[in-house]
Amino acid sequence: MSPPPGNASRGVLRTVLVAEVLSMSGSQLSAVAMPWFVLESTGSAADMGVVMAAQMIAVALFGVLGAPLSGRLGPRRVLVASDYSRALLVALVPLLHQAGLLPLPVVMLLLFAIGSFFAPYTASQQALLPFLAGEDEKLLSQANASLQGATRLAILIAPPVSGLLVSWLGAPTVLLLDAGTYLVSALILGLRVPRGLAPPVPTARRNTRAAVQVLRRDRLLSCWTIGQVLTETAWQALFVLLPVLAREQYGGTATLAGLLLGAFGGGALTGTLLVGRALRRLSPTRLSVFGRIGQTVAFFALLLSLNAPGLAAVLFTAGLLNGLSNGPIAAVRTARIPAPLRSTALTLIAAFGLTGGSVGLVSSGAAAESLSSRTVFTLLALCQVLAAVCFVLGARRPRRGTAAHTPRGSVPPVPVPPRPGPDRRPPLPDSPDA
């Protein structure tokens, strides 16, 4: 088990939070600039959804294939390498545009390459937190809430600013700003996160199978992973619809699209700030379930006839409940996964979740052209209902009379002998937290 957090650990945590604000702010600049650029260039919401989905498909694909590599490199190397790589790739978009070498397939290829780093990056952040905050679920919940707060702060500020900058400077210039934030984030992480912190865990291909077994055999992990897939599907579909709604239903510009996304970010930031207080009354598991149920109710409010301020209010409320539950969900999940398998398992979870996001991105653009917004919102709300059911089922206690045992996710899923023999596999690597 990792030691209680000290001054040095808190300093590293602050570094990680600052880097997250920078890189996520850049990502949110692109979240408005990129789809608006494609929408204006093609005039097709379906094309916009397909282009943006290229990034999410890479998240899913490289999340699964790159999961063992994340463990072998270690969290620090993954974070630094990902930010440097994304800085270069994002900068190529405006540079190629300026040279007249940016047809739609090239945009999709670049977004695919950018998306390949997302799942390992997110998983590495979560795998680093137990080394900084300890293994206690409440401490982990607060550390995850701080990380989520940094993310939500970026989502609150960056989209409205991006909408203004796109209207003023144009999308290519805004994308250059995005590349700059990744570069600064990489420099900060490389200089301020110690090399010896959270060392790489030697992994083999079988560790991916072992991580899958942990996710499959532990009821909470399996149900919550399915719930995350459904939730991500609904959220990404909603996010890609916001520029369409701003332009076609409300007659607005990129500024309005940014303000709507910023409303969600403001609610999510408020929710993360309330996590510590909520944990005084509820356990991390109950807070996770409460937030997901409340988020589902907020999605049904989208079925009402809303003006732009009303839609912003609903997005703020849904974001608040999302912020309340995200940190505890990550903490409960991380604590149940054996330390040697955390980077691999968390990368797989991120990949599975964002596979659902890819489905949401692709389907919502096409649905916006053929279905009414009310019908689309109904489908998204039903998706959230199924997700909430998964979270409730996963959090249920075992029936009385069941033999007491430790959670299956906390036991190495592959039985190992003390010494490898000629027909036996070597044991899993020791936990760095032991």
Side-chain angles (χ1 to χ4, degrees):
M1 182 176 293
S2 58
N7 291 333
S9 295
R10 284 193 287 268
V12 175
L13 179 59
R14 284 194 292 269
T15 297
V16 173
L17 297 180
V18 170
E20 174 65 7
V21 170
L22 285 169
S23 62
M24 183 54 68
S25 294
S27 296
Q28 292 305 308
L29 292 177
S30 293
V32 175
M34 189 67 73
W36 195 265
F37 170 76
V38 175
L39 190 60
E40 284 196 326
S41 299
T42 66
S44 170
D47 284 348
M48 180 191 66
V50 171
V51 169
M52 299 308 296
Q55 186 172 6
M56 305 300 287
I57 292 171
V59 170
L61 180 62
F62 284 90
V64 175
L65 298 180
L69 182 61
S70 299
R72 286 198 295 270
L73 292 177
R76 181 187 178 277
R77 285 185 181 178
V78 171
L79 294 175
V80 175
S82 296
D83 275 341
Y84 275 129
S85 300
R86 289 186 290 183
L88 175 62
L89 291 167
V90 172
L92 283 175
V93 175
L95 294 177
L96 291 176
H97 173 74
Q98 182 67 27
L101 300 174
L102 196 66
L104 208 58
V106 175
V107 178
M108 294 175 63
L109 181 62
L110 288 172
L111 286 178
F112 183 86
I114 293 167
S116 66
F117 293 96
F118 188 88
Y121 190 91
T122 302
S124 295
Q125 285 180 324
Q126 294 182 16
L128 191 64
L129 291 184
F131 291 90
L132 302 176
E135 297 281 350
D136 179 76
E137 278 192 0
K138 288 197 173 183
L139 291 176
L140 268 179
S141 294
Q142 292 172 353
N144 273 287
S146 298
L147 183 61
Q148 293 289 330
T151 301
R152 304 318 185 190
L153 178 63
I155 296 176
L156 170 65
I157 297 174
V161 172
S162 178
L164 292 172
L165 291 177
V166 168
S167 300
W168 179 33
L169 301 174
T173 303
V174 175
L175 292 174
L176 278 177
L177 293 176
D178 181 12
T181 61
Y182 280 128
L183 180 60
V184 176
S185 175
L187 291 171
I188 290 175
L189 290 170
L191 293 173
R192 298 298 301 272
V193 177
R195 292 180 181 273
L197 180 67
V201 178
T203 60
R205 184 176 298 177
R206 70 188 183 92
N207 273 33
T208 302
R209 294 196 297 269
V212 171
Q213 287 180 7
V214 168
L215 301 181
R216 180 173 59 86
R217 292 178 177 178
D218 187 295
R219 185 178 67 183
L220 182 143
L221 291 174
S222 61
C223 288
W224 285 20
T225 299
I226 295 171
Q228 180 172 329
V229 172
L230 294 167
T231 297
E232 196 69 28
T233 301
W235 274 116
Q236 293 299 330
L238 178 61
F239 289 155
V240 84
L241 287 172
L242 292 182
V244 179
L245 291 172
R247 186 184 185 198
E248 298 180 1
Q249 185 165 322
Y250 298 115
T253 63
T255 302
L256 178 58
L259 289 172
L260 290 174
L261 189 56
F264 164 79
L269 176 61
T270 303
T272 58
L273 295 176
L274 295 175
V275 167
R277 184 173 298 179
L279 287 172
R280 299 173 192 169
R281 298 179 177 271
L282 298 172
S283 69
T285 300
R286 290 185 176 181
L287 183 56
S288 301
V289 174
F290 167 79
R292 287 315 188 211
I293 293 175
Q295 181 178 279
T296 301
V297 176
F299 259 71
F300 274 99
L302 295 172
L303 301 179
L304 303 174
S305 297
L306 301 171
N307 54 19
L311 177 58
V314 171
L315 290 171
F316 178 91
T317 303
L320 186 148
L321 294 162
N322 182 273
L324 269 175
S325 55
N326 265 4
I329 287 171
V332 172
R333 199 167 49 199
T334 301
R336 293 177 76 94
I337 300 172
L341 299 177
R342 274 184 187 152
S343 291
T344 303
L346 291 172
T347 304
L348 289 172
I349 290 172
F352 295 151
L354 290 168
T355 299
S358 301
V359 174
L361 282 169
V362 174
S363 60
S364 62
E369 295 188 341
S370 57
L371 301 174
S372 67
S373 59
R374 182 180 179 84
T375 301
V376 175
F377 286 150
T378 300
L379 294 174
L380 299 186
L382 292 176
C383 196
Q384 289 284 19
V385 169
L386 294 176
V389 170
C390 288
F391 276 92
V392 171
L393 292 177
R396 287 181 59 191
R397 294 179 180 273
R399 296 179 182 177
R400 288 189 175 185
T402 304
H405 56 80
T406 56
R408 280 175 283 188
S410 64
V411 180
V414 179
V416 293
R419 292 192 302 269
D423 296 321
R424 294 177 293 183
R425 296 177 177 177
L428 291 173
D430 291 335
S431 167
D433 296 326

